[in-house]
Amino acid sequence: MRLVRVAVPVPALDALTYSVPDGVADPPVGARVLVPLGNRIITGCVLDSESSAERRAPSARGDNSQLSSPNLQLQTSNSKLQTSNAGIKPIIEVLDGGPFLPTDVLKLATWVSNYYACGIGDAIAAAMPPWALKGVRSRFRTTRVAALTVQGHDSRDLRLGARQREALDLLAGSPDGMDTAELAERGIGAATLRRLASLGLVRLSRRAVERDPFHRGAMMSAVARTPHTLTAEQADAFEQLRELVARQSFQAVLLHGVTGSGKTELYLRLAEEVRRLGRGVLLLVPEIALTPAVAGLFRAAFGQRVAIQHSGLSDGERHDQWQRIRRGEVDVVVGTRSAVFAPLPSIGLIIVDEEHDGSYKQEESPRYHGRDVAVVRARESAALVVLGSATPAMESFQNAQSGRYTLLSLERRVLDRPMAAVRIVDMREEYAAAGPDVTLSATLTEALAERLERREQAIVLLNRRGFATAVFCRQCAATLECPNCSVTLTVHRAARRARCHYCNYSTGIPKTCAHCAGPYLEQTGFGTERIEADIRERFPAARVARVDRDTVRKRGAIAGVLERFAEGELDVLVGTQMIAKGHDFPRVTLVGVISADVGLGLADFRAGERTFQLLTQVAGRAGRGEIPGEAIVQTLYPHHYSIRHACRQDYQSFFAEELAFRTAMRYPPAVALINVIVKARTEQAAMEDAGALAGALRIGGEPYRVLGPAPAPLSRLKGEHRAQFFIKGTHRTSMKNALVTVLASRPEIRRRTIVDVDPMSVL
Ligand code: ADP
Ligand code: ZN
């Protein structure tokens, strides 16, 4: 009996074994197959087959040795085909004649499933384009096309109606045929074409058309690219990068360049270099907001040979772009984290821009970190990986210090532009002087007025959306809470709803307290919607727009707003961290940060790092043009080290102080961390099940520590109770293997368990 192992897109399932019926050829590794599962038929992906396993054995071993990660060994030992044949069902159909996923991508997905301890099906699904596992063979968009047949070309002597003759004349001018929709516009309807087809004069067929995401929202209008003359610092870095990329072997570089130091220019030149070597380039950027601008730049530089892959595209566009990459029609892929799986052949360079950004981490299964997967992919492809940031992640900078990554630094802005001057406003003094309702300090208001007068632009950032963050009853002290989650509802005034930011539950804004029926409801806390309203009220003539997840729900909306801002059609941009990163707006001379400490109060070990990054990045948005910039930071904790170091834009000092804290508290990068969350219907059940797992991990003498369980900070989410515990240690693989073994012995709990390896957030 010939057997194949198949990954199916069902959470927390390992690979399943099926047989290949007689008379059916072995499906290729990476091909999709239809298989029975329970009483369903689903689409899976072939991981390995008996004969292919034998054939590939030597080369597979060779490939593995390139990957120093011990995690692959786990895979090899797991990957033995089931030995007992009882109960094995045959596959129903082979959907692809060759590998749908290229082998290297398949291997990468397998690495992800091992490293992050998730089901192989989840990892494979993450690497697939939309619909690939939905059992549908092709989702290309097609149009109906009419074309002349040979007889049609030779129809001069036939007696035909005027419409029919007109149709033939039109088609005679289009050797490739014409879209029936276009013909209809010219008055030639379906009936005419059908009649001509029945006479054998016209052939009607369907043709695939590509959905092109470049023509709208996905890209800011590309300016023709005039390469800059590199600064001395840039030239120095570029020489080293060029030397590394020419080696065509695995190399990892951390490019630590202050904001405005011209990293993008280096990316473009390096990409050109790699293309000249005949190898592919993958550029990863953080979520949505950045893609349009960067994609535009790369499109301008590389024309048609660029594809984009990100969550802002429609499924159809993503599918078509993926297929273009798979067909080998592009050399450069620009995309967000899932683009790390793009089926780009012979990769020579992977760039992870703003590598510290939290959006590289996927917060659902598979919980992978796009940057870390990028490093693994580069290693497998013998490629150069460049991690770029003005505020590198603690992990990355430590890797640079320990010599695992080569560190390249750009310490100055291009054209000797000064860094923005940063002023701190102590909001405690502001409240004392102007009352507790102040959102814009006098300093910031004054600075905004100056900018508006001088026709310069300003960015105002608050990392919290909505109008008010809570509804509070002054009579009984109750707050308006989500019925499904342990959080308060946020007031969205324009939408007239109070909404949960975790499960999206919403309700009308109440006038009386649901608890005591009192009419004394007060809205407390504030978000971006309120800031926008306050700025409009204070400066009625100013052109203000807001960018956050509420305003950019619609695809393409963000590119529109950013483009208007870039064109100078807006004066003030209010937004969440979406506007903090990456953008290059030369006319912005003021950045205001409201409540810089949002987040510092959170019980998350990365809170200080995140605050430092956000403030440094946002200050980096000011003064990128001719006129020097200024940043005004409002905070209740002016002396917190994150805020102090960010205001001086002093990364090294921040890193040293933060690393001391992480080491003392035994947090990453000093140790490896795994967060385990168990969900259950009651708090007690969640605690008990989490306790059972944690207990089984404490076997005595284990090379790690287990902390907890305790109710998770978000103890209720979407109606489920959650308990969590942590595994800390210096040897990640043994921690994870122990956990995987324990979970395998408790399949019923495993189904309700979230495993987060290297968590970005523990809230
Ligand atoms: P970073 O990504 O490091 O923050 P950018 O790459 O966005 O910085 O560069 C900032 C600005 O400087 C951009 O407008 C870019 O076009 C410009 N720039 C880059 N390199 C040079 C150079 N060598 N000379 C002049 N301008 C440059
Ligand atoms: Zn909720």
Side-chain angles (χ1 to χ4, degrees), residues 228-231 234 258-265 414-415 584 624:
H228 297 286
T229 312
L230 295 185
T231 64
Q234 277 175 317
V258 298
T259 52
S261 56
K263 295 185 286 294
T264 314
E265 182 71 26
V414 297
L415 304 176
D584 189 27
R624 294 169 74 91

Side-chain angles (χ1 to χ4, degrees), residues 51-106:
S51 50
S52 68
E54 280 155 23
R55 248 185 288 122
R56 293 182 338 127
S59 73
R61 212 174 302 128
D63 288 352
N64 277 359
S65 64
Q66 274 186 4
L67 272 170
S68 61
S69 165
N71 308 299
L72 267 200
Q73 283 150 26
L74 182 83
Q75 165 61 19
T76 342
S77 65
N78 271 356
S79 67
K80 273 191 223 108
L81 290 164
Q82 201 168 315
T83 40
S84 143
N85 289 346
I88 293 183
K89 294 182 183 161
I91 56 175
I92 293 171
E93 197 180 335
V94 181
L95 297 179
D96 304 302
F100 182 83
L101 276 189
T103 349
D104 66 321
V105 176
L106 197 68

